[in-house]
Structures are given as C-alpha cells and as structure tokens.
C-alpha cells in the first residue's frame, strides 16, 4: 500500500488518480477562497494555485500557516488538516505601482493640472507688477539665444512689490545676492530649492522668475523682466550645473 508520506511528494496535476486532497480556507486581502489541494503538494505548488486564484505572483506572496509556509515541504509534512486557514499577504504588481507612484510623477501630474490653469502672468498678484510695464532701465533681451551670465549684475528688474531688484552671482562664494534699494540678501546657492520661470505674455523675450527659498510656494521670491537669454544660465548656476569646465 502507499509508502511513507515523504516519498510520495508530487508536482503533477490534481488529476493524478487517488491524490489525497485537503480542504483549505485561503484568506487574502479580505477575500476568502475554499480550495481543495493535494496533501502531497508542496508550499511552492500552493503558491502557484494562489497565483491562479488571486493574480498575486508567487514571488510577492507571503503564505502563513503556523508561521511562514516552507516552499519545499509538502502540506502533509507540515501537518495541514481539513479546514486549515492559510493566510496570504502581498500586493499585486498593479497595486504596488498604484501606491508607489514615484514622487516625480506625482509632481508632474500636479504641474500638468496647474498648467491647465491660467498662465502665471495673468494671475492677479503678478498682473499688478507687470501692468507697470517694462522698467526704464531694463536690460536688452536677445531672442533665440542662450548666453552665459554677464560679469556684471543683472539689473533693471522688479520684485513682487514693484521695487527695483538686481541679481549678482557670486560664483566664488557660491552665493546669489538679491539686492534692492533697502538691502542685499546674500543667499547660499544650496539654500535655493528650485527656480521656476515663465515667458511674459506679449513680451516673450522676457521672463518672470521665482527662486524657491523654503518648502512652499509662499517662499518664492519673484523677479520680473529677466532677459530670456540668461534664463537657462541662471537656473543652471543656482541649481549647481554651471561647472562647464
């Protein structure tokens, strides 16, 4: 008659004549499955069956029966009996992707939503500065050209209160100096978290630009009428990409 249990390990199909079956309750993600399975099937075989039931790949399953179910042993060897509860923990690849949407992608979605809104230069807070028109001493702009930063400060621009502002890039000190009539802020480049810019509608050869000094939009320092040829150089310099040599 049948040999010892450990001899009769089978990886074949359930259709084998006389295979002894055990009734299991497989519980995964609040779902319960009644499963009949071969007593001489291994933990690895059971994972394949769970994959067929749930779509959960075996590599992403944690199967529990009195502790972690060993893949190499049969259900008979670990003394699984009728009515045994098998707990399964794990997420499908789609679930994982949905939860772990990369931050960048999430930020891009937010930006895309923002882009559907009105352009920055039409927003009320910016309009009140832009409606003053170009400053008298605005620097000349050159369309379609990217230039390195000049050796002199960038001047002839407004800040959000409509006051005159100039930008001085102190590369040897790794600082950006933002100067107004009242004072000069000396900011380490590393403290500026981001630089955003947008062409000014109707005057696309000039940009409005913001330096992000803290974690939120409230920390943006806005500068208006930046000549377009310097926009990329400013971003590269502030964000640490200026070492061309």
């Amino acid at each position: 008659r049948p040999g010892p249990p450990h001899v009769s390990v089978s990886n074949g199909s359930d259709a084998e004549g006389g295979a002894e079956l055990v009734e299991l309750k497989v519980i995964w993600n609040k779902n319960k499955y009644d499963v009949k399975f071969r007593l001489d099937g291994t933990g690895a075989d059971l994972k394949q069956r769970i994959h067929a039931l749930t779509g959960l790949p075996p590599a992403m399953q944690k199967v529990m029966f009195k502790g972690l179910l060993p893949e190499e042993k049969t259900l008979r060897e670990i003394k699984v009996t009728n009515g045994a509860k098998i707990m399964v923990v794990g997420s499908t690849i789609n679930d994982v992707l949905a939860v772990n949407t990369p931050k960048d992608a999430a930020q891009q979605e937010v930006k895309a939503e923002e882009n559907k809104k009105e352009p920055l230069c039409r927003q009320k807070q910016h309009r009140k500065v832009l409606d003053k028109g170009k400053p008298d001493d605005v620097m000349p702009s050159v369309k379609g050209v990217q230039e390195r930063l000049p050796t002199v400060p960038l001047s002839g621009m407004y800040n959000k209160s409509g006051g005159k502002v100039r930008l001085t890039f102190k590369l040897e000190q790794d600082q950006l100096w933002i100067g107004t009539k009242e004072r000069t802020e000396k900011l380490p480049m590393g403290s500026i978290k981001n630089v955003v810019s947008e062409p000014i509608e109707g005057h696309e050869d000039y940009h409005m630009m913001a330096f992000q000094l803290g974690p939120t939009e409230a920390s943006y320092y806005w500068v208006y009428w930046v000549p377009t040829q310097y926009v990329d150089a400013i971003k590269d310099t502030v964000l640490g990409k200026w070492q061309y040599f």
Side-chain angles (χ1 to χ4, degrees), residues 107-126 198 201 217:
Q107 285 167 353
Q108 281 165 9
E109 282 176 26
V110 169
K111 279 182 185 165
E113 279 302 311
E114 286 173 353
N115 289 343
K116 290 177 194 170
K117 299 176 191 170
E118 59 183 350
L120 289 169
C121 58
R122 287 193 207 161
Q123 292 174 15
K124 190 176 175 184
Q125 58 166 326
H126 303 303
E198 184 183 284
E201 214 169 33
E217 280 192 25

Side-chain angles (χ1 to χ4, degrees), residues 48-176:
Q48 291 295 343
R49 182 70 174 275
I50 291 168
H51 181 205
L53 283 171
T54 63
L56 190 62
M60 300 181 78
Q61 295 175 22
K62 200 181 271 188
V63 182
M64 315 289 287
F65 173 75
K66 297 180 181 174
L68 204 57
L69 186 81
E71 289 197 1
E72 70 286 355
K73 291 194 173 180
T74 66
L75 272 57
R76 190 189 298 275
E77 286 176 299
I78 58 172
K79 298 183 169 49
V80 175
T81 55
N82 267 330
K85 285 184 180 175
I86 306 289
M87 304 294 295
V88 181
V89 179
S91 303
T92 65
I93 289 169
N94 286 341
D95 291 339
V96 171
L97 290 176
V99 171
N100 294 338
T101 305
K103 249 187 202 170
D104 288 351
Q107 285 167 353
Q108 281 165 9
E109 282 176 26
V110 169
K111 279 182 185 165
E113 279 302 311
E114 286 173 353
N115 289 343
K116 290 177 194 170
K117 299 176 191 170
E118 59 183 350
L120 289 169
C121 58
R122 287 193 207 161
Q123 292 174 15
K124 190 176 175 184
Q125 58 166 326
H126 303 303
R127 268 276 46 107
K128 64 183 183 186
V129 181
L130 294 172
D131 285 347
K132 289 170 62 131
K134 287 184 196 176
D136 302 334
D137 55 349
V138 72
M139 294 179 80
S141 68
V142 185
K143 270 189 186 173
V145 174
Q146 292 181 11
E147 292 185 8
R148 289 194 177 197
L149 293 173
T151 51
V152 297
L154 295 180
S155 58
M157 298 171 293
Y158 289 136
N159 60 18
K160 68 178 178 184
S161 58
K164 286 289 182 64
V165 65
R166 69 186 170 278
L167 303 176
T168 308
F169 296 87
K170 294 284 188 180
L171 299 188
E172 66 284 356
Q173 296 168 39
D174 202 27
Q175 290 181 344
L176 167 62

Side-chain angles (χ1 to χ4, degrees), residues 161-207:
S161 58
K164 286 289 182 64
V165 65
R166 69 186 170 278
L167 303 176
T168 308
F169 296 87
K170 294 284 188 180
L171 299 188
E172 66 284 356
Q173 296 168 39
D174 202 27
Q175 290 181 344
L176 167 62
W177 292 11
I178 301 178
T180 60
K181 196 167 63 175
E182 294 80 25
R183 66 179 180 276
T184 298
E185 298 278 356
K186 298 179 179 181
L187 304 170
M189 300 282 192
S191 70
I192 300 170
K193 295 176 170 48
N194 198 11
V195 181
V196 297
S197 71
E198 184 183 284
I200 296 171
E201 214 169 33
H203 302 276
E204 280 74 13
D205 46 340
Y206 289 94
H207 280 232

